[in-house]
Amino acid sequence: MTVTIYHNPRCSKSRQTLALIEEKGMTPTVVEYLTTPPSVADLTAILAKLGKAPEQIMRKKEAREEGIADLTGDDLIAALVAHPRAIERPIVVNGDKAAMGRPPEDVLAIL
């Protein structure tokens, strides 16, 4: 099973989460989502694994700056793909499970 982290190397929580995964002896697939955003289908699947609505993974300040803060549902998913800096980070996916690395220890439950 491949563990994938949607990672922003400039984010301390993202770096801490990546280090935590590596400390467990795992080598995750690292997706720098700002340069390689997930597709609409991928983000929809990630949300299902997280058990969250798109509004729950939106960075509010960045969403306001991008003009997408008032969107919901499928419209917001498409906007997050188009404006990936508004996606909360990091997100870790392991098989059919996913977790937000805020705090980093939250991902331990799915590893």
Side-chain angles (χ1 to χ4, degrees), residues 48-69:
K49 292 174 186 183
L50 284 168
K52 293 187 181 291
E55 297 81 1
Q56 294 174 288
I57 67 158
M58 176 177 64
R59 295 177 65 85
K60 297 197 180 3
K61 176 180 178 280
E62 288 82 349
R64 279 193 306 274
E65 290 171 357
E66 297 290 356
I68 64 172

Side-chain angles (χ1 to χ4, degrees), residues 6-59:
Y6 290 86
H7 179 59
N8 177 349
R10 294 181 58 202
C11 170
S12 64
K13 294 287 185 229
S14 201
R15 291 191 307 270
Q16 290 167 11
T17 301
L18 178 58
L20 197 61
I21 294 167
E22 290 171 340
E23 285 168 17
K24 293 289 177 194
M26 304 172 117
T27 304
T29 298
V30 177
V31 177
E32 289 193 21
Y33 71 93
L34 293 176
T35 53
T36 310
S39 66
V40 168
D42 288 342
L43 187 55
T44 301
I46 290 165
L47 286 164
K49 292 174 186 183
L50 284 168
K52 293 187 181 291
E55 297 81 1
Q56 294 174 288
I57 67 158
M58 176 177 64
R59 295 177 65 85

